[in-house]
Amino acid sequence: MTRQDKLYDMLIIGGGPAGLTAAIYAARATMSVLVIESALSGGQIATTESLENYPGFPDGIGGIEFGQLLEAQARNFGAEMVLANVESMSVDGGIKEVHTTEGTFRGRTLLIASGTRSRTLDVPGEEELKGKGVSYCATCDGFFYQDREILVVGGGDSALEEGMYLTKFAAKVYIVHRRDQLRAVNLLQEKAKANPKIEFILETEVKEIKGTDRVESVVLHHKGQNKTWEMPIDGIFMYVGLIPNTEFLADSIEVDAYGYVLTNEEMETSVPGVFAAGDVRQKSLRQVVTAVADGAIAAVRAGQYVDEMKEKEAKQ
Ligand code: NAP
């Protein structure tokens, strides 16, 4: 029987910490599980060099390694994985269908754990110079900037954490933030401010990225002083926030104004049998530790839903 012919107890969209934890819990509870992932296991965390605030790892753990361990644990309990892009889904009937580049998969329940992706700055030059000096992943591209000068855009946890990581390679890292106050937690602010290779440029916006074959300079504008200037730079890393990966939902379930999925405490969405977990959900704290907790709750509740469904099927 092919995967497309099977009726799974739980389909999971997304192989990040939320999706893979749900897979571990569900498969361990003897549910049949298929995880649909479009890239590397681990999701966004696979782009982090070291995960330092996940309990139980006092020396930190690499993001890629963490994703691989979660996947191995899910597979050990019998969860299946497929590499595919989700295009749309049909959730109005009892059986949920997920339409992907590898065909349609069917499940009694569906978990949306598709996470988020990096927001773009949307300034002239950004799109044209993507991969030619404009990057969204310090772990992936930092190595190419040995002894170079880099600009990091953003004032949140990611900008500071990744900016500090980039100082391993770069001679200088400028962190450009649009306000005079950083958004990042105090501990990160203190560490970044103490780093001699980091210089903050506050109250400043990136207006344009210039270069022919590669990034050569950026046009900056200081809002308070109303001053615009061009600064030579070798690379620019964007950390200006996240966008939920929810386009494939169309109007099938309720989302908030930003596209984050609305759930209750049981991770149930507006459609019975459809759950959401992790960063894709509207929530106040987007961390690996909250994502894995969401995944566990969703799997347990989905298990109860599947039992109820099977009882009804048996009576028919
Ligand atoms: P974030 O917290 O949303 O910060 C985005 C930053 O980009 C903000 O400083 C924001 O400025 C700025 N920004 C947004 N749009 C902009 C624009 N158009 N032009 C210029 N600047 C713009 O995003 P994040 O840093 O990626 O973090 C996302 C989540 O992951 C957060 O919940 C964070 O706590 C978590 N995270 C945690 C860790 C950790 O615990 N170690 C590490 C990384 C991320 P304003 O401040 O003016 O809005």
Side-chain angles (χ1 to χ4, degrees):
M1 194 191 270
T2 68
R3 284 175 174 157
Q4 286 80 356
D5 296 328
K6 264 171 102 167
L7 174 59
Y8 289 91
D9 289 330
M10 194 175 196
L11 293 178
I12 299 176
I13 301 176
L20 289 174
T21 302
I24 292 166
Y25 272 71
R28 187 167 180 267
T30 71
M31 289 164 75
S32 56
V33 177
L34 179 69
V35 180
I36 306 164
E37 168 58 49
S38 62
L40 208 58
S41 291
Q44 287 271 95
I45 207 65
T47 66
T48 301
E49 193 217 11
S50 175
L51 179 55
E52 289 185 345
N53 56 4
Y54 191 78
F57 296 92
D59 301 320
I61 178 166
I64 293 178
E65 188 191 354
F66 186 71
Q68 288 168 342
L69 288 172
L70 290 179
E71 181 183 331
Q73 200 171 350
R75 283 188 189 273
N76 285 350
F77 286 119
E80 295 174 32
M81 307 266 307
V82 64
L83 198 63
N85 277 317
V86 174
E87 291 169 335
S88 63
M89 57 190 218
S90 318
V91 292
D92 28 10
I95 301 301
K96 322 298 175 205
E97 288 184 344
V98 178
H99 312 292
T100 79
T101 46
E102 296 299 313
T104 294
F105 301 103
R106 300 183 312 130
R108 290 188 168 89
T109 63
L110 168 63
L111 174 66
I112 297 153
S114 46
T116 56
R117 63 179 181 277
S118 302
R119 184 184 287 149
T120 54
L121 197 55
D122 295 334
V123 292
E126 181 180 13
E127 185 58 35
E128 298 83 332
L129 292 165
K130 225 177 241 180
K132 298 172 185 166
V134 172
S135 172
Y136 303 82
C137 177
T139 318
C140 320
D141 301 328
F143 180 77
F144 301 113
Y145 292 89
Q146 312 273 352
D147 298 323
R148 303 292 181 91
E149 298 211 332
I150 300 176
L151 201 108
V152 169
V153 189
D157 290 344
S158 299
L160 270 59
E161 204 163 79
E162 303 304 320
M164 282 190 280
Y165 170 71
L166 287 167
T167 62
K168 284 187 175 194
F169 313 101
K172 184 94 189 172
V173 174
Y174 297 94
I175 299 184
V176 175
H177 178 43
R178 63 182 175 184
R179 290 184 298 126
D180 62 352
Q181 297 287 319
L182 296 167
R183 180 179 290 277
V185 293
N186 281 338
L187 178 74
L188 283 176
Q189 291 196 31
E190 282 166 21
K191 276 171 106 177
K193 283 174 184 166
N195 188 316
K197 283 191 179 176
I198 291 182
E199 188 175 315
F200 285 94
I201 306 178
L202 300 179
E203 270 190 276
T204 298
E205 287 176 344
V206 173
K207 290 292 183 193
E208 188 179 349
I209 304 166
K210 289 185 167 182
T212 35
D213 294 331
R214 277 202 62 79
V215 167
E216 288 163 19
S217 64
V218 279
V219 178
L220 301 175
H221 176 77
H222 190 286
K223 292 198 280 189
Q225 296 167 4
N226 195 20
K227 183 181 106 179
T228 303
W229 74 103
E230 192 171 334
M231 182 175 156
I233 205 81
D234 299 308
I236 173 160
F237 286 76
M238 304 292 182
Y239 286 104
V240 291
L242 306 167
I243 300 176
N245 295 320
T246 46
E247 289 76 6
F248 60 86
L249 299 179
D251 293 327
S252 55
I253 60 172
E254 276 181 31
V255 296
D256 71 9
Y258 303 99
Y260 289 102
V261 180
L262 297 174
T263 68
N264 61 14
E265 284 190 7
E266 301 290 326
M267 309 302 144
E268 292 165 319
T269 69
S270 56
V271 175
V274 180
F275 302 81
D279 284 5
V280 76
R281 199 165 80 76
Q282 187 194 61
K283 65 197 301 195
S284 60
L285 186 63
R286 291 196 169 82
Q287 295 278 307
V288 178
V289 77
T290 61
V292 301
D294 285 1
I297 295 168
V300 171
R301 182 67 196 100
Q304 292 161 353
Y305 185 91
V306 167
D307 289 345
E308 288 160 19
M309 216 175 160
K310 284 182 178 171
E311 264 174 43
K312 273 190 208 154
E313 283 169 10
K315 280 182 194 156
Q316 279 166 5

